[in-house]
Amino acid sequence: GYSDLDGTRQIVILDMVYNMGGNFYKKWPKFTKYMQEGKFKLAANEILTSKYYKQTGRRAKNNIKLLLS
């Protein structure tokens, strides 16, 4: 879960919660699964191919960078 993530990846989750609401993960099952499994490249790809990415631009790009760091 969230507490198992390092601080950088927790920041990504917090930013996405701020932007999409506390239950966003329910609408992002693949992203959530990949994050839980530590498959951050796949999780980043879920962001890249989402409406969130198209709508937020720089914010989503920054989150992808953080996930991949």
Side-chain angles (χ1 to χ4, degrees):
Y2 176 81
S3 61
D4 296 324
L5 297 171
D6 63 39
T8 300
R9 291 179 177 100
Q10 286 181 355
I11 289 169
V12 171
I13 299 298
L14 287 174
D15 184 67
M16 293 177 78
V17 164
Y18 175 78
N19 200 264
M20 294 186 282
N23 291 323
F24 88 90
Y25 66 93
K26 292 179 181 178
K27 295 181 181 179
W28 288 61
K30 289 181 185 178
F31 173 84
T32 301
K33 178 179 179 277
Y34 296 145
M35 290 296 289
Q36 290 171 337
E37 294 173 350
K39 297 178 179 175
F40 303 122
K41 188 172 183 179
L42 291 172
N45 193 58
E46 290 298 308
I47 294 174
L48 183 63
T49 59
S50 70
K51 187 190 291 188
Y52 163 77
Y53 182 85
K54 292 177 186 135
Q55 292 176 344
T56 63
R58 186 177 58 191
R59 169 178 244 136
K61 287 178 186 177
N62 186 53
N63 284 336
I64 288 172
K65 285 181 189 175
L66 290 172
L67 276 180
L68 298 176
S69 66

